[in-house]
Amino acid sequence: MSDIVVFGAGGTAGSRIAAEAVERGHRVTAAVRRPEAVGYLPPGVRTVTGDATSARSVRELAENADVLVVAVGGGERDLWRDAARTLVDTVRDLPDPPRVIHVGGGATLLTPNGTRFLDEPDFPAEYRDSAQGQADALEFYRSSADGVTWTYVSPPPLEFHPGERTGHYRTGTDHPVTDAQGRSVLTYEDLAVAIVDEIENPRFGNARFTAAY
């Protein structure tokens, strides 16, 4: 059993991660900016006010945690980089730093020609700021997270949506995992399975991974 804090647990990804973790018997704290606005979370999930960009908030929640999951969204480009920096700079000074698992963007994955999806000419302009913000966070972990064990998780770049929990998936690193038809598809529910699997049996310490069917 692990003590897991999920920042952004009111969102589509965070709520499913919290639900998957508590279902498996972990102690889960949902850290959200406005607890009164959070929808359904299963029994056993403790909801508190928390902000991944506040050093004070992170410190208070990290002191008794084994894992901090960052699943925040809906902000400006700097949100994800600022959250990554705040968590790393705060927890690295603790006697026993918790692991950090950052739910990132699929647009940072690489196309077959080696460029990032977000750098492709036809990448939708309305998503570019958030995609670049997630890319900034990934670069920060890779270059500046000494002393902290982190994992960055990228869903598929296109076909990622709520749906069925199958419990099955395959993993990769910097390129999307594709099926025989070349599609990379995953539900939020199975992304949550992959993340809690990583919490229970770490395989991608200080690295990025992706998952799909």
Side-chain angles (χ1 to χ4, degrees), residues 56-100:
R56 178 179 178 180
S57 180
V58 170
R59 186 176 297 106
E60 290 175 350
L61 291 166
E63 287 180 345
N64 298 309
D66 299 306
V67 182
L68 304 179
V69 178
V70 187
V72 298
E76 300 297 326
R77 168 178 169 174
D78 292 345
L79 170 66
W80 294 278
R81 184 200 61 210
D82 290 349
R85 178 181 290 121
T86 300
L87 266 74
V88 167
D89 289 348
T90 301
V91 306
R92 65 163 34 121
D93 294 329
L94 297 177
D96 186 18
R99 293 168 56 204
V100 174

